Amino acid sequence: AGSAMSSRWARCCPCAFHEEVDERPPRKAGALTKQGDGGRRRWVERWFSLDDRRFLYREGESGDGPVRQAVELTPSCTAEVALDEEGVTVLVVTIPHADLSWYLRPSHGGGLPELRAWQAVLVRAIRPRWTDNRECNVCQGRFGLIRWRHHCRRCGFCVCRACSTSGGGLS
C-alpha cells in the first residue's frame, strides 16, 4: 500500500510525480568559498547557513562574523552544480527576486561531495510548500475517505482527482 500511495500522480497541473518527501525544515551551516561581488573575481571564505528558507553568509570562516547578506529562498531560485570559466566545479545559487547569483566552492578540500550536500539541502528549501487544505483548491469539496487530496509538487496546492486535468513529471 505504501508504494501505491507514493507513486500517485499530482494532478492540479502537468508537473509533479509524488515521492516520499522529508518535511523537516532544511538546515545546514559551514564554510564555503564565494566569488566576490561587483566584478571582483577573487574567491573569499565565508560562513554560510541555511535555516528553512533563510540563506545567508557571514564575514570570515566561522559563524560569529557579521551577516553580509541574507535572502529568502523561493521556488524561483535554483541551485546547480556546474563548471566555471576556469573549469572548476562550483555550486551556482541563483536568486532571481534579489537579482543575485552566488558562485560557491567547497572550503578546506570538501570537493564535489560537499557541493552536492549543499545542493541537496538548498533544493529542499527551494521546493514549494504543500498547503494543508481540508478541501480541494478547485471545487472546494472536502477531502476524506472517498475524496483524496493530491499535492502538486510545483505549486503546492491540493486538488481532488475529479478536478485534476493532467499529470506528468517535473521538468
Side-chain angles (χ1 to χ4, degrees):
S3 63
M5 284 297 293
S6 64
S7 64
R8 291 196 177 272
W9 290 92
R11 303 218 179 237
C12 61
C13 61
C15 63
F17 186 77
H18 275 265
E19 59 194 45
E20 295 302 317
V21 175
D22 183 356
E23 290 300 326
R24 293 173 297 170
R27 289 185 171 81
K28 186 167 177 61
L32 290 169
T33 305
K34 179 186 174 296
Q35 191 170 34
D37 299 320
R40 293 173 292 189
R41 305 300 290 175
R42 66 186 177 95
W43 292 85
V44 291
E45 293 283 326
R46 299 288 185 227
W47 182 265
F48 282 82
S49 65
L50 173 69
D51 186 3
D52 199 11
R53 288 186 183 230
R54 183 176 158 83
F55 190 46
L56 62 88
Y57 71 90
R58 297 177 177 274
E59 288 286 340
E61 300 176 38
S62 66
D64 56 0
V67 173
R68 279 289 299 242
Q69 194 161 27
V71 294
E72 190 76 14
L73 298 178
T74 66
S76 65
C77 299
T78 60
E80 299 175 358
V81 174
L83 293 177
D84 68 5
E85 300 91 26
E86 301 167 7
V88 176
T89 304
V90 295
L91 176 61
V92 182
V93 181
T94 306
I95 306 142
H97 62 276
D99 197 28
L100 291 173
S101 289
W102 290 346
Y103 292 80
L104 309 173
R105 291 180 180 169
S107 292
H108 312 295
L112 185 58
E114 179 67 9
L115 288 181
R116 291 279 186 212
W118 273 100
Q119 180 186 27
V121 76
L122 287 167
V123 166
R124 278 188 49 221
I126 290 167
R127 73 167 186 254
R129 297 293 201 263
W130 287 2
T131 60
D132 192 22
N133 294 2
R134 297 185 193 281
E135 56 189 38
C136 175
N137 281 94
V138 178
C139 72
Q140 283 73 44
R142 287 195 64 77
F143 294 121
L145 292 174
I146 305 297
R147 181 180 283 129
W148 289 12
R149 84 182 73 206
H150 301 271
H151 285 94
C152 173
R153 301 280 292 154
R154 181 169 286 158
C155 68
F157 279 4
C158 293
V159 296
C160 66
R161 184 174 182 92
C163 291
S164 64
T165 57
S166 61
L170 253 178
S171 57

